[in-house]
Amino acid sequence: MEHICQHCRALLSSGIRSPYHLSISQLSNSELIKCDLCEAYLLREQGNTELLQAPSFTPSARDCTPSRVESSSLGHRH
């Protein structure tokens, strides 16, 4: 299981970005995103978003609760 914040969970499930999602690289049809809150790395390609890496989550004083996500629920393409 991976630990990600509620903002990353919303991005994975419905494509809703938050101010915590920083674009760190863009190519023609893909974007690498880092979450400034939980430090997860996500990849958006052709309308799909997948979790690349989620380090151990340490809750901060910010308004966020960690969410436990199983890799099978992330919609990985095979």
Side-chain angles (χ1 to χ4, degrees):
M1 289 189 171
E2 305 286 355
H3 293 277
I4 59 174
C5 69
Q6 65 189 15
H7 302 283
C8 287
R9 187 173 184 96
L11 179 60
L12 289 167
S13 65
S14 61
I16 299 171
R17 285 180 80 149
S18 83
Y20 297 112
H21 295 134
L22 309 174
S23 178
I24 59 175
S25 178
Q26 288 185 337
L27 296 174
S28 58
N29 291 324
S30 66
E31 179 180 17
L32 182 60
I33 298 167
K34 180 181 181 196
C35 180
D36 195 34
L37 189 63
C38 70
E39 298 184 356
Y41 288 88
L42 303 108
L43 178 65
R44 292 189 85 173
E45 285 186 298
Q46 302 169 351
N48 296 316
T49 304
E50 65 180 277
L51 180 65
L52 296 179
Q53 179 182 0
S56 297
F57 187 83
T58 303
S60 68
R62 297 188 216 183
D63 180 28
C64 186
T65 304
S67 300
R68 295 176 65 88
V69 178
E70 294 184 36
S71 59
S72 62
S73 67
L74 297 178
H76 289 290
R77 291 175 287 146
H78 298 281

